[in-house]
Each structure stands twice: as structure tokens, then as C-alpha cells.
Amino acid sequence: MFGYVRPLQPELRVRDYDAYHAAYCGLCRALAKRYGFRSRFLVNYDMTFLFLVRASVRPAARTRNCFCPARFWRKKPCICDDGGYDRVSACTVILCYCKILDNIRDSGFWKGLGYRLLKLVYHRPWKKASKDAPEFADLVRAKLLALSELEAAQSPSLDATADAFAAIVSACADDLPDEAVRRPAQALLYQVGRHIYLCDALDDLAEDLRADGYNPLRYRFVPTQTGLQAEDLAYLGRLMDSSVNLAGAALSLLPVRQYGALLENIVYLGLPAVYTAVKTGRFRAKAKEFPRKENQP
Amino acid sequence: MTEEQKNACRLLGVSETASQAELQAACDNQLARFDEMKYLGSPLADMAAQKREQIRAAYRLLAAPEPVEPPSFELPAPKPAADSPAGESVSVRVRRLLNAGDVEEADALLSAQPDVETNPEYVYLRGMTRWKQGWLDEACQYVDQATKLAPRNDEYKAASGMILTELPPAAKVKRSFAGKTGWAACGCLSECLCEALCESICEGC
């Protein structure tokens, strides 16, 4: 359920593109620093967005050239904002560990073996992250339990299921002390969480129809064998657009000091672009055929 | 220029030597940014109202004449269902709670009503509580149901057109992918050692 929140690159300014890279690499570095080398593998776009939201209201942090294990012959610029990354890295570890647990539950014995191994690998980082953000770990556990109950009951409510996930994403901003920052950040992350959940549901729909798995779209609408009917898809598109607008309205209220244009790009351009790709089935295909060298800075 | 005036300039995003026309344009832009319509279904409506007030105050500080405000949209005043006098007070109370942002209390009050599924006013107000929660799908369903139950009510009809909004034109134009590298913003993940492992965890991010 990661990777749906990203900027639309052709519309990014070069400095915003560099800032995004530096934030991504900074998260990777912060994960390694706090939770060990293995946690570097958990870095993802969605959590980079979370960092950008939190960092946007803070004074600009130093960017340094840091060692990158993926490209050890060349240092890469990283944002070194330990205070900003603390909560984000804890949330990343907790969410990824819960995702592993979820995959173990959903997989058969043989396919689940890999996830069981991953669970062993990430158990210690998860324990440490749970100590760092205990209230977030409890909330994630409670909301995922509520979500699995809704799934077991085959709930046709898009909102109730999306709410469970959106509340988790929104809780990543619960610790912000200033209400003028916390409320818009929570509202923004809530709508982004909804967007992620609904995109993921649409992305998985064909597979769930084949495997007879739970998908809220399957019970809310009347899908054909390949996916949703055109009018249902149009309605879902309007729901997604409205979520984007509410997220944008929340972003306007965030007292940003930096990364404003980057965040606007992600919300107004990146989210709709990813939804369009998911809708047309190009999202997964693009991920595989992504040209590896072309986009390097 | 005093410190207060400098802050006002910062808020409006204009230089300290801005002309009257520039001030007016900046004020209009900022007011449009926090437009009441954009926050109708948002729990942040009160913060947006505060922000509009700050912008107007900043403008008043810098320029003598009153700014030309964009047309303001006001939800119709509470209008209880005429055919159910018993529900009158509940309806008004729920509306008051919703205006105050107390969505949970409003929902609990509505849920306690015996005819919550059949009284169009209650169905409509349930839609409004869902809207305030950001539950857009259920909000649409309730408002549509209320419109079917009371097809001549203009307020219900107007609300059904307001819940789902369209993207701003700039976002619409660019929503299709520009070229083959359109959405993939960061090349670093694809090159990282972690790609294979990450894919196994998050299924192809």
C-alpha cells in the first residue's frame, strides 16, 4: 500500500526535485541511524511525503552529502534533520511491520514463509519504534484490527474502510504541539490516506475479483469481471477529486516555510496522476518499465 | 513602515512598496485561496474563516478602502421539515452542533431518532455529518436519498451538487502523464539495493 503519493516530475522545478531526492535519502539515512541498516529497505515515497509535510513548517535543515550504500562510489545529498525524521522513521517502521503481519495473514503457508522471515528481521526495529511512538503503535494495531473486522464482515462502505487507514496516516501528525499546524496537517494526511486506500483498492480490484478476495469496491458497486463499470468509475473519480480538493484546502492552511511548491505538486498533480494511472492499469506496468538511467539527476 | 504593516505585507505576499492595485489583487488572490466554498465539507472551516479575517485586517491596515470581496456563499438557514413538528427541535440542534463542529454529538443525536431512515431532514443531516467527517461517498448517498424523499426541497438539491467538487483547472490539464517518465519522480529507489526487498513488502511501490 505504498508508493501512491509522489510528485509529477515534469512539473517539478529542479530545486524541488533535488529537495525531494534529499528528503528521500535523508529518510533512508535516518532509518539506518535509528533502527539499523536493515531499516533502510523500508524507505518509501509516502513516508517521504509525510516528512515533507512535517518539515515544511520547520526552519530549513542542513543538507549534507552522505554515504549511500546503493551508490557507494558517490555521496548523495541528504537532509540532516534528526528532529524532523524521528517521528517519521518510527511511523515508517511500525507501518511496514504491520504490513508484513498483514501479508502473513493474507498469504498461504509457502508464500507466507518469506514474510515470516521478514517479520523476524524487522521485529527488533519494530520494538524500538513502538517504544519511540507507543501511542501511534497502539492506534495502528487498533485501526488495523477494525479494518480486518470490516473486511471479515465484507463491508460495502468505502468510507468506513478508508477511514481506518486514513486515521492511521493522519495520526502521524498527532504529536505536533502547535494546533495551527496539527489540525491542517491531520486533515491533509487524512485525505491523502483516503486517497491511498481507494487507489490501492482500485489497483487490486481485478486480482481480488479473480481470487475472490475482499475489496470494498466490489461490494459498494457492481463490477464486471474485469473491473468497475464506466459510470461507477466516473463517480469514484469525482470522489477522489473531492478528496484532493479537501487535501489542497488543508494544505493552504498549513503555515509552510519551505517545500510549498513541492507539496502542491504532490497533492494537486501527483495524486490525480497516480489515480489516472491506476484507473487505466498503467500504474503497475509503469513501475516495471520505469527507465532506470533517464531520471538520474 | 511599522512592524505590524510589514507583517501585513508578508501575509498578503506583497512588497512594502506595493501599489494600491497590487494590494487589491493580492488581497483578492488570498481571499480566493481561502474561499468559503472550498472549506464547506472540511473540518478546517473555522481556521479558514480566521485566515480570511486576518487577510481583510491586513488589507485594511495597508490600504484605506475596503477590499472587493469575492461573492460569499452561505448555507441556507436551518429549515426544519414542515410536516414533522416533533423533529423540529432535533433538526435545529443538530444544525447548531454541526455549525459548531461537534460532529460526533450531532451523529449520536440523529442516531437516537426513531425515524432517522425515513425522515428526509434527518437523512439529509446525516449526510451533512458524514460530509463534515470527510466521508464523501456516504454523504452523497444520504443527500441523494433525502432528495428522493423530498424532491422539492431546494436545500437538499443544492447540497448534492456541492459535496463532490472538481479539480482546479491547472490540475486537470496536467493529470494525464506527460511522457513515459511522467509519474516516477525519484530514480533513486529503482536503483537502490532495496528495490527487490521493498517490492516484496509493499507489493511494487
Side-chain angles (χ1 to χ4, degrees):
Chain A
M1 207 179 273
F2 296 120
Y4 293 106
V5 185
R6 50 180 85 193
L8 188 67
Q9 188 194 323
E11 296 296 330
L12 272 182
R13 287 181 301 190
V14 174
R15 67 177 154 133
D16 290 331
Y17 179 66
D18 290 344
Y20 190 74
H21 266 237
Y24 183 88
C25 296
L27 177 59
C28 180
R29 177 181 167 273
L31 281 165
K33 206 171 161 190
R34 293 194 67 81
Y35 302 109
F37 181 81
R38 62 198 136 174
S39 301
R40 276 186 190 269
F41 298 108
L42 304 178
V43 62
N44 61 68
Y45 295 130
D46 301 14
M47 286 299 163
T48 307
F49 173 74
L50 174 62
F51 167 73
L52 290 171
V53 169
R54 294 173 64 94
S56 66
V57 294
R58 292 163 61 88
R62 208 156 47 101
T63 301
R64 263 188 358 181
N65 281 334
C66 299
F67 167 74
C68 171
R71 289 204 284 174
F72 52 84
W73 60 92
R74 198 182 102 180
K75 288 190 171 182
K76 291 184 80 178
C78 290
I79 293 174
C80 299
D81 182 9
D82 290 342
Y85 278 119
D86 279 355
R87 171 80 172 188
V88 180
S89 43
C91 292
T92 306
V93 172
I94 291 169
L95 281 176
C96 288
Y97 187 77
C98 289
K99 176 72 185 161
I100 293 170
L101 295 185
D102 198 40
N103 285 349
I104 292 174
R105 235 190 341 265
D106 292 348
S107 313
F109 178 76
W110 292 109
K111 205 181 164 193
L113 275 179
Y115 294 125
R116 284 193 179 84
L117 183 68
L118 284 175
K119 185 187 163 192
L120 283 178
V121 171
Y122 287 108
H123 187 71
R124 278 185 69 181
W126 171 74
K127 272 183 90 173
K128 187 165 184 239
S130 297
K131 268 186 198 158
D132 292 342
E135 76 303 333
F136 181 73
D138 292 344
L139 184 126
V140 170
R141 221 172 290 130
K143 288 290 176 187
L144 287 182
L145 189 69
L147 191 58
S148 51
E149 277 169 13
L150 285 168
E151 286 177 4
Q154 299 189 334
S155 166
S157 170
L158 292 184
D159 292 324
T161 45
D163 175 75
F165 185 75
I168 291 173
V169 180
S170 150
C172 295
D174 277 357
D175 64 318
L176 293 170
D178 184 2
E179 198 191 343
V181 175
R182 190 180 62 244
R183 278 186 63 200
Q186 282 174 331
L188 167 62
L189 293 175
Y190 183 88
Q191 291 303 333
V192 170
R194 254 179 80 89
H195 197 279
I196 295 172
Y197 185 84
L198 294 178
C199 270
D200 190 53
L202 185 62
D203 204 17
D204 292 345
L205 183 62
E207 205 178 304
D208 288 333
L209 285 170
R210 260 199 310 276
D212 197 26
Y214 173 77
N215 189 310
L217 296 173
R218 197 180 150 195
Y219 297 97
R220 168 68 179 86
F221 302 111
V222 185
T224 60
Q225 281 185 335
T226 49
L228 292 183
Q229 294 174 23
E231 61 184 40
D232 293 336
L233 212 48
Y235 173 74
L236 184 66
R238 292 185 66 205
L239 277 182
M240 302 297 255
D241 288 354
S242 305
S243 273
V244 166
N245 282 335
L246 286 175
L251 178 61
S252 299
L253 282 170
L254 205 64
V256 293
R257 298 162 84 163
Q258 52 179 342
Y259 308 134
L262 180 52
L263 288 171
E264 275 181 10
N265 178 299
I266 295 174
V267 170
Y268 282 118
L269 305 177
L271 293 181
V274 165
Y275 172 69
T276 308
V278 169
K279 191 173 71 175
T280 52
R282 282 187 295 163
F283 186 75
R284 288 183 186 215
K286 283 270 177 187
K288 301 292 176 203
E289 72 191 40
F290 174 59
R292 304 200 163 209
K293 297 291 170 194
E294 248 170 74
N295 274 2
Q296 294 306 310
Chain B
M1 193 169 248
T2 64
E3 195 56 38
E4 207 177 352
Q5 283 172 322
K6 282 180 187 169
N7 286 340
C9 285
R10 261 197 294 276
L11 185 68
L12 292 179
V14 292
S15 68
E16 291 170 15
T17 54
S19 66
Q20 179 67 32
E22 283 170 332
L23 278 178
Q24 177 72 60
C27 182
D28 289 349
N29 276 343
Q30 291 287 342
L31 285 175
R33 196 168 160 223
F34 300 103
D35 186 21
E36 203 175 348
M37 281 293 281
K38 281 167 71 178
Y39 292 89
L40 278 180
S42 169
L44 304 173
D46 56 326
M47 286 182 77
Q50 262 178 25
K51 200 82 187 175
R52 287 195 298 273
E53 202 42 58
Q54 283 173 7
I55 291 162
R56 286 189 195 112
Y59 183 84
R60 275 196 293 270
L61 193 71
L62 296 170
E66 283 290 303
V68 181
E69 291 168 17
S72 168
F73 179 86
E74 299 255 325
L75 271 174
K79 202 168 25 173
D83 54 342
S84 62
E88 192 169 338
S89 61
V90 175
S91 160
V92 172
R93 271 170 64 198
V94 169
R95 282 170 184 265
R96 203 183 311 114
L97 286 168
L98 283 177
N99 285 337
D102 198 346
V103 179
E104 283 179 18
E105 179 78 28
D107 198 31
L109 192 60
L110 280 173
S111 303
Q113 303 309 310
D115 52 349
V116 67
E117 302 291 339
T118 50
N119 185 325
E121 177 70 2
Y122 293 161
V123 174
Y124 169 72
L125 289 175
R126 266 204 138 171
M128 292 296 106
T129 58
R130 293 293 183 269
W131 191 16
K132 290 270 179 192
Q133 284 175 297
W135 290 33
L136 302 174
D137 182 33
E138 289 192 10
C140 286
Q141 290 181 51
Y142 279 122
V143 171
D144 285 349
Q145 195 187 334
T147 313
K148 275 180 198 154
L149 289 169
R152 301 174 85 175
N153 189 312
D154 291 335
E155 185 188 351
Y156 303 167
K157 269 191 268 183
S160 67
M162 284 189 303
I163 294 170
L164 296 186
T165 51
E166 293 196 349
L167 284 177
K172 262 189 183 171
V173 172
K174 290 160 188 164
R175 68 182 306 165
S176 60
F177 286 176
K180 58 183 177 180
T181 59
W183 56 268
C186 179
C188 43
L189 178 64
S190 57
E191 206 177 80
C192 280
L193 293 171
C194 61
E195 189 192 20
L197 184 58
C198 183
E199 278 201 355
S200 70
I201 299 170
C202 64
E203 293 168 354
C205 70

